[in-house]
């Protein structure tokens, strides 16, 4: 079991809740309203003067969303948070708020698909350039900083190869140069990594994954300073209208209650599955940050309090049929995108390309990602063992 920050129980179960304001109900109400009325012109004028100062219209602030906002900020040890309709919306707003025409972004290799799309297909239309570099080599990565670099974009670990970046070292250099740092912290959640503690300016996480935990809503989060959140709120958040809706915020509050126990459970099950996979001939090598064989194990131990859920492995095979048969025959593991819910998942990298393009010498074509959910370890391991048994022995 990972050691929790002492305030985590308070934050998740108490912070931001005012039961007396809603009939002493334990569960907070879903304030399903588009707008809020005023008794006087003076009060309405005040609300219009600063939309972040109170309730005016639910494209801005909403009381149900605010409970979640306070908890998510506190879990990250940040001054403030904004909650978005999904993770991609959070990335979009956090990035857009911090770049303008002529700027340069330094990003890690292989960021999330729609983050890369934003950089390559959208921002390029506005004269914003991006350099992708290997974040595992800190000095090499930082050597790509240019005079017009305004944003450094990190994802540590990322969601296929689980590559890390040294957050403290990168944030230090970025601060000295006045460059904003942003990280996609979806893999860890604030319970397993608090980017602000290392000097990162904006932490993003996809609430669709572990915060929800039930595969029934999308959500995205940004945390950071009041000033940064205010800048994003008064511009991109209000303008794109991509904030979360009250009901979805309520589902995320519900998910958040059990986040620590779900992560504990998934952490221990992940370890059992990992131990099993290490005994399988067909598994050429494994990728998991808290595996002592992981190349960045020391860094993982330094900046992450835990690791769980995603395990990638290279299948030993010379043909795509073996991979397809293995994935097709899994029953406990469902084949799907996303992760972070109760249900275990599998996705082979080769699903993203025509089967005829498969090249056995290209290790990434033989990469398979598992997500470990809330099922029993034995249930999952026996499913994996059956699927391995179904493919012909080496
Ligand atoms: C899922 C995911 C996102 C996008 O989140 P959505 O809620 O699907 O928009 C971004 N980054 C990572 C690492 C993810 O896994």
């Amino acid at each position: 079991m990972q050691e929790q920050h002492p305030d985590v129980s308070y934050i998740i179960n108490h912070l931001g809740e005012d039961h007396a304001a809603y009939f002493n109900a334990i569960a907070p109400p879903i304030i399903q309203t588009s707008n809020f009325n005023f008794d006087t012109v003076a009060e309405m004028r005040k609300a219009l003067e600063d939309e972040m100062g109170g309730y005016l219209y639910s494209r801005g602030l909403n009381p149900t969303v605010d409970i979640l906002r306070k908890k998510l900020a506190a879990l990250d040890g940040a001054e403030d948070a904004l909650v978005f309709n999904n993770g991609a919306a959070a990335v979009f707003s956090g990035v857009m708020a911090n770049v303008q025409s002529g700027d340069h972004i330094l990003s890690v290799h292989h960021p999330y698909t729609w983050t890369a799309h934003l950089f390559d297909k959208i921002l390029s239309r506005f004269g914003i350039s991006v350099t992708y570099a290997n974040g595992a080599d800190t000095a090499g990565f930082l050597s790509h900083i240019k005079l017009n670099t305004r944003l450094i974009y990190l994802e540590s670990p990322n969601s296929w190869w689980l590559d890390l970046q040294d957050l403290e070292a990168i944030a230090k250099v970025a601060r000295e140069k006045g460059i904003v740092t942003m990280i996609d912290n979806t893999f860890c959640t604030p319970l397993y990594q608090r980017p602000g503690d290392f000097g990162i300016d904006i932490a993003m996480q996809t609430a669709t994954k572990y915060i929800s935990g039930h595969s029934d809503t999308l959500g995205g989060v940004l945390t950071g300073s009041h000033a940064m959140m205010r800048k994003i709120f008064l511009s991109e958040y209000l303008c794109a209208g991509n904030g979360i809706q009250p009901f979805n915020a309520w589902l995320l509050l519900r998910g958040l209650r059990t986040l620590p126990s779900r992560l504990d459970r998934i952490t221990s099950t992940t370890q059992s599955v990992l131990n099993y996979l290490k005994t399988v001939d067909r598994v050429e090598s494994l990728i998991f940050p808290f595996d002592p064989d992981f190349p960045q194990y020391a860094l993982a131990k330094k900046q992450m309090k835990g690791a769980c859920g995603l395990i990638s492995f290279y299948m030993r095979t010379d043909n795509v049929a073996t991979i397809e048969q293995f994935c097709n025959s899994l029953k406990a593991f469902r084949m799907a995108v996303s992760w972070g819910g109760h249900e275990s998942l599998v996705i082979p990298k080769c699903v993203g390309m025509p089967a005829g393009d498969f090249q056995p010498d290209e290790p990434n074509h033989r990469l398979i990602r598992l997500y470990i959910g809330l099922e029993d370890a034995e249930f999952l391991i026996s499913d994996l063992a059956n699927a391995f048994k179904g493919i012909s022995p080496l």
Side-chain angles (χ1 to χ4, degrees), residues 86-89 91 112 155 159 184 186 204 206 208-209 218-219 339:
N86 52 61
V91 171
Y112 179 70
E155 196 172 304
S159 60
D184 184 330
T186 303
M204 174 270 165
T206 306
T208 311
K209 310 285 163 57
L218 292 98
W339 47 280

Side-chain angles (χ1 to χ4, degrees), residues 304-363:
M304 293 160 57
K305 294 193 211 80
C308 68
L310 296 182
I311 304 173
S312 292
F313 70 90
Y314 296 100
M315 178 82 94
R316 215 189 287 277
T317 182
D318 60 7
N319 61 80
V320 72
T322 306
I323 294 176
E324 293 192 9
Q325 193 188 332
F326 172 78
C327 294
N328 294 349
S329 58
L330 287 169
K331 291 191 173 63
F333 289 83
R334 294 173 229 208
M335 211 184 305
V337 297
S338 197
W339 47 280
H342 56 90
E343 76 289 10
S344 290
L345 301 171
V346 60
I347 182 169
K349 195 84 185 123
C350 65
V351 76
M353 63 185 217
D357 290 358
F358 181 84
Q359 303 270 355
D361 312 339
E362 180 47 73

